[in-house]
Amino acid sequence: MAKDALVQELVDGFDDWPAQPRPEEPASAGSCGGAARMTSELYPYDALFSPIRVNRLTLKNRIVMAPMGNIDMCEETGRPNQKMLDYFFARAKGGCGLITTGLVPVSHGIDATVTEPGGLTYFPRIDRSRTVMAGWRDLAQGVHAFGSRIFVQLTAGLGRVGNPQCLLTLKRFPASASVLPNYYMPSVPCMRLSDRRLGRIVRALGQAAADASAMGLDGVYLHGHEGYLLEQMVNPAFNHRRLGRYADWRRFGLDAVREIRRRVGPDLPIMYRIDLSLALEETYGEEVLDGTYLGRMRGGRSVEQTLGYMEELVAAGVDLFDVDLGCYDNWWMPHPPASMPAGCFVPVAEAVKRRFARDGVKSNAGLPVPVVAVGKLGYPDVAERALREGACDMVMLGRPLLADPEWPNKAYAGRVDQIRPCIGCQEGCVNEFVEGGHPQCAVNPRCSFEHAMPEVPPSAASSRRVAVVGAGPAGMACALVAVRRGHEVTLMDAADELGGKLLCAGAARMKFDVENYRSYLAGQVRAAEREGGLAVELGHRAGAGELAAGGFDAIVCATGAADAVPPIPGVDGLLASGRARQASELMRDPAALAGAQSVVVVGGGAVGCECAQWLSVERGVERVCVVEALPHMMEGACTANRGHLLHVLARRGVRLLNMARVEEVRLEDAATPGGAVALRVSRNHDGHVPDPYVSWTPVLPKNVVNPLEPRIGDDWREEGLRCDLLVLACGGRADDGLFFELQKAHAAPELRNLGDAFAPGRVLEAVRAAYRLGCAL
């Protein structure tokens, strides 16, 4: 099947961004070639805050909360618990017009990937029995109390993107539309579901919709996207059936909508989540498609077929769509990471709008069918502009509403500078539940803890003098909570600027989300300073003696982490000569590249690979190589962020060497200015060493064993590399020296070690710990 021109243009644009601003994206209204800012040029946001009718339901504004899967936010029976209720109540209170839940499977007993041993589940359920119903009723009533509406998202099942551990724990294979490889473990096959079982799922969707309506929920939202079971049935990429009712790839989705409409009547809104294209053939070249299981998924729905199918869905009873691109096998598409531009899928929504307008598509209620745009729209000017220009009818915000539940209220009031920005890391909202937790947020420590943490930290019993040493994310967040509780706080940092590691983390243009967050935190600190209670002292490194003499009641050490220097012979000399640089320093001072056209990055974690992307895409370095000792690049990073970076690095020709150790570095000719840096590298050439460029299959969590994974042997060989500049991205070590000096000197009655100064980690760990500590001081 021919590749679609619109889809190919978008995919290519995502891969090349942010080499240069796209000419069609003017540097105004919050956007600078996709690198959006928290501006308020289009305020007041009259389009964003105008009502819209869906079937017989009127929504107060055009903001939809995306379905951020409510994994482990329920009792083990599937009944929604207080964690889940208060999580949604916070977003309703924040002013969101329409809230959608995370996916709720109805295929227990059919799709083995959605049920745990013992009949337990980490998914909320609405199909089990009346014992779960009260939780949904309480949820609907609580959301309505704040003037918001809520739809339940139903899924036919997970199919090939479900957890394959069911093969070990339940002795059952995953199931799908056809015999297909499992996404997480491609060596595990998924078995073909019979028409009879699929008919049971259709009836279960109808029953769940009827139950949702009876519980007071305002609508039903079908998850026909991302390669979940419904998408597997209604896309020829996955549905290879030749016989039976569901050999027609459209029929299962149409049957599901018709059954839901039959059970709930004509008035309950039905929403459908769909991808305009899987974009697999536009994402991957022929070499990848021919050499991997992805080749079995050629021939997915074309854009034209999707648009025709959407019109059939409207005739069957759908009232509302949200639409984007992609599936699990290019997971960054439906989960756009920091390395993709703001408003990335607005053109997709616009294409659907044009088609519906051309064909005069109307719902069964006789209304135009609204189209919801998705994809990094958490910048009010960007969202407002999409609505004003008619590219969409509503905008969907997921991670921005986790980062700041008050996003709608703040945007409506024009307090855009007070919106806490999402940083695009996806470590809390997505990766946390992949690792076994529940959705959280790196920058909002109360996300999913609304039931346990008060919105306003309680006032301190008595005001205390507190010193916070270090103005990175942990230090700033802790100081802000402490001063709001009534303490007298002094925030100190040796640097001349607020931000700590955020200064280098947000330096690359693709990390504009991080820079926005640093700017937000710095603004909050300066506002607290103006209001009194917080003193900021920059450009001075406070010593233990000075702090001990300061008479503080509590001292918090948030001094961060020092960049690690690997024990490689010759590296110290290169650092001293400037021929080696720490990645964090280089990204803040690109002049240090000095025209280098070949760079070797030692360390293939998130920082190393982001640095390689920055060097290749933003700085135009011709030859970039990344050397990593572990089997996989960016082990532990969120799959969407990891996959997109690997994909871009492959496209850019960046050389990735995994299972490789740098044994020695030296200047090739120390007497010649500008002589090359020479590296001696040991590399494992065993045939089972993972391909470092694989972006279509994730790295499994450490506690999940793939029994079919081949053992990596030892075939270590030495080879040489040459470069103009060596870049170190080997992580950090806790800068805890000051804390132990203070502890030894008994410098204050209360001493705390916080953030990277305790253990190097992510913004997620730093901010969450800072909030808890700030509440406890």
Side-chain angles (χ1 to χ4, degrees):
M1 186 172 293
K3 297 179 181 180
D4 184 85
L6 170 65
V7 176
Q8 190 68 66
E9 180 183 359
L10 288 171
V11 170
D12 290 346
F14 300 153
D15 293 347
D16 291 335
W17 189 83
Q20 55 186 351
R22 287 181 285 178
E24 68 272 19
E25 285 194 279
S28 62
S31 177
C32 181
R37 300 286 181 252
M38 280 293 181
T39 57
S40 54
E41 296 174 22
L42 297 184
Y43 182 78
Y45 301 114
D46 292 334
L48 202 56
F49 293 97
S50 61
I52 186 170
R53 186 177 164 195
V54 180
N55 204 313
R56 293 186 178 275
L57 189 71
T58 298
L59 304 172
K60 65 181 180 181
N61 60 44
R62 306 295 179 105
I63 301 170
V64 185
M65 180 183 177
M68 303 297 294
N70 308 121
I71 304 297
D72 286 319
M73 298 179 78
C74 57
E75 297 169 10
E76 291 175 331
T77 61
R79 177 177 175 170
N81 61 16
Q82 200 62 44
K83 180 190 294 288
M84 180 172 161
L85 267 59
D86 285 352
Y87 165 87
F88 283 119
F89 296 163
R91 276 78 202 167
K93 174 179 171 293
C96 185
L98 173 61
I99 288 171
T100 68
T101 72
L103 72 169
V104 178
V106 300
S107 51
H108 293 276
I110 301 173
D111 180 355
T113 68
V114 302
T115 314
E116 294 293 291
L120 306 178
T121 181
Y122 46 78
F123 291 103
R125 294 187 70 163
I126 200 169
D127 68 325
R128 185 180 181 89
S129 71
R130 287 185 60 86
T131 60
V132 304
M133 295 301 175
W136 294 103
R137 198 168 186 83
D138 292 346
L139 175 60
Q141 292 171 356
V143 167
H144 292 162
F146 295 105
S148 297
R149 301 292 186 172
I150 184 166
F151 289 4
V152 62
Q153 187 185 56
L154 302 178
T155 180
L158 307 185
R160 67 170 292 266
V161 300
N163 188 345
Q165 287 180 290
C166 61
L167 185 58
L168 300 177
T169 59
L170 301 174
K171 310 304 181 191
R172 292 182 59 190
F173 282 97
S176 184
S178 304
V179 177
L180 295 167
N182 179 264
Y183 167 70
Y184 291 98
M185 297 182 189
S187 50
V188 173
C190 302
M191 298 293 104
R192 177 185 181 277
L193 282 165
S194 67
D195 282 6
R196 180 179 61 82
R197 285 177 170 253
L198 290 167
R200 285 174 55 192
I201 293 176
V202 168
R203 292 189 293 276
L205 286 167
Q207 182 63 51
D211 289 338
S213 180
M215 293 306 104
L217 295 161
D218 300 293
V220 174
Y221 182 20
L222 270 178
H223 197 319
H225 180 260
E226 293 179 38
Y228 285 84
L229 184 57
L230 176 52
E231 171 74 345
Q232 291 162 42
M233 289 301 304
V234 300
N235 198 313
F238 308 113
N239 185 345
H240 304 156
R241 304 162 86 96
R242 293 292 178 264
L243 298 172
R245 180 175 182 81
Y246 295 119
D248 178 349
W249 59 263
R250 299 165 300 178
R251 191 178 295 275
F252 183 77
L254 295 172
D255 279 0
V257 172
R258 289 170 181 144
E259 177 67 7
I260 291 171
R261 183 56 74 201
R262 183 183 75 82
R263 294 299 307 275
V264 301
D267 299 337
L268 192 80
I270 299 175
M271 184 175 178
Y272 196 107
R273 180 166 176 79
I274 196 168
D275 54 87
L276 193 63
S277 167
L278 296 175
L280 287 175
E281 292 173 71
E282 290 81 4
T283 300
Y284 297 110
E286 293 302 315
E287 183 178 351
V288 171
L289 293 171
D290 290 340
T292 69
Y293 70 82
L294 293 172
R296 298 173 60 186
M297 298 174 190
R298 280 189 168 97
R301 273 194 329 253
S302 68
V303 170
E304 183 61 30
Q305 286 176 320
T306 300
L307 292 169
Y309 173 56
M310 292 172 75
E311 292 189 1
E312 291 184 86
L313 288 169
V314 172
V318 170
D319 299 289
L320 178 66
F321 288 99
D322 70 283
V323 58
D324 59 7
L325 297 176
C327 60
Y328 266 48
D329 305 88
N330 50 7
W331 205 5
W332 60 91
M333 291 287 183
H335 307 88
S339 50
M340 285 175 64
C344 49
F345 293 127
V346 170
V348 175
E350 189 174 20
V352 177
K353 284 267 293 175
R354 284 198 304 266
R355 172 62 174 258
F356 282 5
R358 187 199 78 179
D359 293 353
V361 174
K362 297 288 180 67
S363 71
N364 289 339
L367 298 171
V369 177
V371 178
V372 184
V374 307
K376 300 190 73 170
L377 287 165
Y379 300 90
D381 280 344
V382 176
E384 177 74 7
R385 187 173 62 191
L387 290 166
R388 288 188 188 182
E389 294 179 353
C392 59
D393 301 291
M394 304 183 76
V395 295
M396 181 170 274
L397 309 180
R399 293 168 294 172
L401 290 178
L402 269 60
D404 195 337
E406 291 288 320
W407 194 104
N409 287 342
K410 290 177 180 178
Y412 178 75
R415 296 183 288 122
V416 174
D417 62 329
Q418 296 180 35
I419 292 175
R420 184 190 300 112
C422 164
I423 61 173
C425 69
Q426 308 200 82
E427 295 295 350
C429 53
V430 177
N431 209 41
E432 186 65 26
F433 69 71
V434 171
E435 296 287 341
H438 57 77
Q440 298 172 46
C441 178
V443 299
N444 178 10
R446 292 190 65 245
C447 180
S448 299
F449 294 97
E450 292 88 357
H451 67 295
M453 295 183 182
E455 184 176 359
V456 179
S459 297
S462 61
S463 179
R464 307 172 73 197
R465 293 189 66 237
V466 178
V468 178
V469 186
M476 287 193 284
C478 182
L480 287 168
V481 174
V483 76
R484 287 167 186 160
R485 294 186 60 228
H487 294 309
E488 182 183 335
V489 181
T490 302
L491 177 63
M492 310 172 182
D493 199 285
D496 294 324
E497 196 173 356
L498 294 165
K501 288 293 185 185
L502 293 178
L503 289 165
C504 57
R509 190 163 174 267
M510 76 164 185
K511 299 301 290 289
F512 66 93
D513 292 317
V514 174
E515 172 56 23
N516 285 333
Y517 176 57
R518 187 205 66 81
S519 180
Y520 160 81
L521 276 181
Q524 294 288 298
V525 167
R526 292 304 185 186
E529 185 182 27
R530 290 191 297 271
E531 293 166 5
L534 178 61
V536 179
E537 298 179 4
L538 299 178
H540 171 65
R541 186 178 299 277
E546 177 187 346
L547 288 164
F552 293 105
D553 299 304
I555 301 175
V556 177
C557 289
T559 45
D563 289 323
V565 177
I568 301 171
V571 75
D572 291 333
L574 288 179
L575 285 167
S577 68
R579 300 302 300 278
R581 293 276 184 162
Q582 292 286 354
S584 58
E585 297 173 357
L586 181 66
M587 294 177 78
R588 289 205 70 199
D589 181 22
L593 281 170
Q597 288 305 303
S598 61
V599 176
V600 171
V601 180
V602 180
V607 173
C609 289
E610 286 175 359
C611 183
Q613 191 263 13
W614 172 77
L615 288 165
S616 176
V617 178
E618 295 190 39
R619 307 307 305 182
V621 176
E622 292 180 5
R623 297 179 301 281
V624 180
C625 177
V626 182
V627 181
E628 169 58 48
L630 295 175
H632 300 280
M633 299 285 169
M634 293 190 289
E635 285 199 5
C638 175
T639 296
N641 299 48
R642 178 181 181 273
H644 189 228
L645 274 178
L646 292 179
H647 179 68
V648 170
L649 295 178
R651 181 185 171 106
R652 284 278 167 171
V654 172
R655 191 179 182 198
L656 302 180
L657 305 180
N658 55 328
M659 297 205 77
R661 300 189 298 258
V662 179
E663 305 289 359
E664 181 186 17
V665 295
R666 60 180 175 82
L667 281 178
E668 201 166 62
D669 184 356
T672 303
V677 175
L679 296 83
R680 182 165 57 86
V681 176
S682 295
R683 184 179 170 207
N684 192 346
H685 287 258
D686 182 76
H688 291 144
V689 171
D691 179 349
Y693 295 100
V694 170
S695 57
W696 47 90
T697 297
V699 178
L700 297 178
K702 294 292 187 184
N703 63 327
V704 176
V705 176
N706 180 356
L708 303 177
E709 186 175 38
R711 179 182 174 276
I712 301 174
D714 291 318
D715 183 10
W716 294 88
R717 307 175 203 170
E718 284 198 353
E719 57 187 84
L721 298 174
R722 298 171 75 251
C723 63
D724 298 328
L725 183 69
L726 185 71
V727 176
L728 304 179
C730 301
R733 54 174 179 79
D735 191 359
D736 54 12
L738 178 62
F739 172 77
F740 288 114
E741 286 184 48
L742 293 170
Q743 182 171 269
K744 184 176 180 180
H746 299 276
E750 183 175 357
L751 295 173
R752 300 287 184 177
N753 203 16
L754 177 65
D756 284 357
F758 172 72
R762 303 164 297 180
V763 172
L764 174 70
E765 289 86 7
V767 171
R768 185 164 51 190
Y771 187 88
R772 290 183 184 275
L773 179 55
C775 288
L777 287 171

